[in-house]
C-alpha cells in the first residue's frame, strides 16, 4: 500500500500521509475536521489504493453523508449491523458506536469459569484495553495475580482462598464495564490544547493518566480522558518516594508517546503529582542525587522541564485510583477518573496551585554524599646529602 502511494505524493500529499500513518494491518482509521475534508480524503485514498488493486470496503462513519457519497465505480459501503453490540463496530479490539461517536467495551467470558491460576490470567487477558481506560480495574487484577507468585501452586491448582474471594468479587462485576463510554473526539476545539498528566503511587502499584483540555473562543472548556498506564510495584521492597518517581517517569513516557502521535498539534504540557519529594528531586540538578534518583530525574527533565510540574492534592489526583485499584462497580461511577480533577473545567485563574512542602530529611531525598580528597605538602629532607654538602 505504501509503495502504491508513492506516485501520488505530489498529487494527493495529505492522502498519502494518511495511508502511511492511519493503517493498522488492514484497517484504515482516519478522520477530518469537517465533512468536506473527510469526503475529499476518502475519495483520494480510494483512488490511490484502487490503482493497485486494493478495494476498501465495509465503511463506517459518524457522518451519514460520508457513507452515501460514493462514485458509481466505487465499492458499495457495507454497513456493520451487529445487533448484539447495538450497531457498534469493532475497531482494534474495542467497540466504536458511530451514532454517538463513543468507544465502549465487551466483556466476553463467563463469570462462572473455574478459578485456577491458568484460567485467571486467561480471563483477565480478554479485557483488551490498549489505552488504559480501565486501568483502575486492570491494576487490581494485576495485584491479585502478583500475589499468586507468593504461593507455591501449579497452573491448574485451585486459587488460594484469599485470592479467590477477591478475584471472584471482581469477576462477578466485570460485565458492568460494558456501560462505560469514552468520547472519541479529544479535541472538540483546537483554539487552545493542553495535556494534563497526573502520576501517583501506592505500596502496590504506580500509575499515570493524561487528559486533553481544550478551550474555545467562547470560553467553553472540554476535558477528555486520553490514555493511562499502570505498573505493579516489584515484590522486592521499594520505598514509596521511589515508586512515586517511577510514576512520574511513566507519565513522562506516556505524554511523549501521545504527543508524538499528534505531530500536527500545538500542545501545552502540564504535569501533576502529589509527591513533594518528587517535586524537590526535579527542582535540583540530577547530579545531586544518588544513581537511582539521578537517572530518572534526568530522563524526566529531558522532556518535561521543572516548569511543567505542579503539586496536586491526593483527593484531586485521578492517578490515585489507578495506583490503588478499583472494583468494576466503583470505576463505572468514578467521575474523578473519567473527567479528571474538577477544577480542570474552571478558568486557570481559579486554580489553587499551592507550592509543595519542602523536604528537609536528606535520607529521604537520597542526596549523593560528597567525597573530598585532601592533600598535604610535606618537605622531605635527605640528611645524608645535606651533611655531605656541609662538609664540602
Amino acid at each position: 500500500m505504501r509503495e502504491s502511494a508513492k506516485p501520488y505524493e505530489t498529487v494527493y500529499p495529505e492522502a498519502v500521509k494518511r495511508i502511511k500513518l492511519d493503517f493498522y494491518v488492514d484497517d484504515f482509521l482516519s478522520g477530518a475536521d469537517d465533512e468536506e475534508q473527510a469526503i475529499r480524503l476518502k475519495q483520494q485514498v480510494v483512488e490511490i489504493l484502487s490503482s493497485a488493486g486494493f478495494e476498501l470496503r465495509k465503511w463506517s462513519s459518524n457522518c451519514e453523508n460520508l457513507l452515501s457519497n460514493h462514485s458509481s465505480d466505487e465499492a458499495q459501503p457495507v454497513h456493520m449491523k451487529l445487533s448484539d453490540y447495538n450497531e457498534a463496530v469493532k475497531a482494534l479490539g474495542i467497540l466504536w458506536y458511530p451514532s454517538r461517536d463513543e468507544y465502549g467495551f465487551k466483556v466476553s467470558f463467563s463469570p462462572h469459569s473455574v478459578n485456577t491460576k491458568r484460567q485467571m490470567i486467561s480471563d483477565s487477558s480478554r479485557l483488551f484495553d490498549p489505552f488504559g481506560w480501565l486501568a483502575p480495574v486492570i491494576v487490581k487484577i494485576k495485584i491479585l495475580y502478583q500475589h499468586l507468585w507468593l504461593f507455591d501452586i501449579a497452573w491448574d491448582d485451585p486459587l488460594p482462598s484469599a485470592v479467590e474471594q477477591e478475584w471472584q468479587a471482581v469477576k462477578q462485576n466485570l460485565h458492568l464495564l460494558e456501560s462505560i463510554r469514552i468520547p472519541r473526539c479529544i479535541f472538540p476545539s483546537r483554539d487552545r490544547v493542553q495535556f494534563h498528566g497526573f502520576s501517583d503511587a501506592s505500596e502496590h502499584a504506580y500509575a499515570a493518566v493524561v487528559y486533553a483540555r481544550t478551550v474555545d473562543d467562547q470560553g467553553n472548556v472540554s476535558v477528555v480522558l486520553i490514555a493511562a498506564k499502570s505498573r505493579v510495584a516489584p515484590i522486592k521492597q521499594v520505598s514509596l518516594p521511589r515508586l512515586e518517581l517511577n510514576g512520574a517517569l511513566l507519565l513522562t513516557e506516556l505524554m511523549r508517546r501521545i504527543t508524538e502521535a499528534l505531530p500536527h498539534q500545538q500542545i501545552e504540557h502540564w504535569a501533576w503529582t502529589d509527591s513533594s519529594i518528587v517535586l524537590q528531586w526535579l527542582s535540583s540538578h540530577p547530579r545531586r542525587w544518588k544513581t537511582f534518583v539521578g537517572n530518572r530525574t534526568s530522563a524526566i527533565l529531558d522532556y518535561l522541564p521543572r516548569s511543567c510540574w505542579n503539586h496536586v492534592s491526593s483527593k484531586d489526583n485521578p492517578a490515585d485510583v489507578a495506583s490503588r485499584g478499583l472494583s468494576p462497580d466503583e470505576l463505572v461511577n468514578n467521575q474523578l477518573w473519567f473527567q479528571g480533577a474538577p477544577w480542570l473545567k474552571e478558568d486557570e485563574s481559579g486554580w489553587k496551585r499551592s507550592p509543595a512542602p519542602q523536604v528537609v530529611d536528606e535520607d529521604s531525598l537520597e542526596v549523593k554524599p560528597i567525597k573530598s580528597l585532601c592533600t598535604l605538602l610535606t618537605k622531605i629532607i635527605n640528611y645524608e646529602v645535606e651533611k655531605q654538602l656541609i662538609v664540602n
Side-chain angles (χ1 to χ4, degrees), residues 111 113-117 119-120 157-159 164 167-168 171:
S113 56
V114 294
N115 292 325
T116 62
K117 183 177 177 180
Q119 191 63 41
M120 179 180 176
D157 289 345
L159 297 178
E164 182 179 15
W167 168 236
Q168 191 64 31
K171 190 167 62 170

Side-chain angles (χ1 to χ4, degrees), residues 136-163:
V137 173
I138 299 296
V139 78
K140 191 176 183 70
I141 297 175
K142 288 180 181 178
I143 294 170
L144 286 176
Y145 194 73
Q146 187 187 54
H147 286 172
L148 287 180
W149 297 104
L150 304 178
F151 298 90
D152 185 20
I153 62 173
W155 283 98
D156 295 313
D157 289 345
L159 297 178
S161 58
V163 176

Side-chain angles (χ1 to χ4, degrees), residues 200-315:
D200 191 48
S202 67
E203 294 180 353
H204 304 292
Y206 55 94
V209 58
V210 179
Y211 300 85
R213 180 180 184 270
T214 56
V215 184
D216 61 19
D217 291 334
Q218 288 74 38
N220 298 317
V221 180
S222 173
V223 179
V224 179
L225 170 64
I226 303 180
K229 286 284 186 181
S230 63
R231 295 282 186 273
V232 178
I235 294 178
K236 182 180 178 181
Q237 186 69 30
V238 178
S239 68
L240 187 58
R242 285 192 170 194
L243 291 176
E244 294 273 12
L245 184 61
N246 282 341
L249 179 59
L250 184 65
L251 173 60
T252 304
E253 295 170 348
L254 180 60
M255 293 189 79
R256 184 201 300 270
R257 293 189 63 182
I258 296 174
T259 305
E260 290 175 350
L262 301 166
H264 56 287
Q265 291 289 338
Q266 295 294 326
I267 298 170
E268 181 182 333
H269 293 93
W270 293 67
W272 303 83
T273 178
D274 56 15
S275 173
S276 56
I277 295 182
V278 169
L279 291 177
Q280 195 158 338
W281 277 335
L282 296 175
S283 299
S284 297
H285 197 286
R287 283 200 297 263
R288 185 186 176 191
W289 315 118
K290 292 182 181 179
T291 304
F292 183 95
V293 176
N295 289 343
R296 284 157 180 78
T297 54
S298 177
I300 293 170
L301 295 173
D302 185 55
Y303 187 74
L304 293 177
R306 178 61 181 88
S307 58
C308 294
W309 288 90
N310 302 274
H311 186 262
V312 62
S313 63
S314 297
K315 66 180 182 63

Side-chain angles (χ1 to χ4, degrees), residues 16 39 74 93 96 103 177 200 223 230 285 291 314 363 383 391:
V16 171
I39 292 174
E74 182 182 329
W96 176 44
Y103 290 119
L177 300 178
D200 191 48
V223 179
S230 63
H285 197 286
T291 304
S314 297
D363 291 336
Y383 291 99
V391 171

Side-chain angles (χ1 to χ4, degrees), residues 62-83:
N62 58 342
C63 175
E64 288 294 331
N65 292 335
L66 188 62
L67 293 177
S68 60
N69 188 288
H70 58 271
S71 58
S72 58
D73 58 344
E74 182 182 329
Q76 296 292 323
V78 178
H79 298 277
M80 306 291 285
K81 297 294 185 182
L82 305 177
S83 56

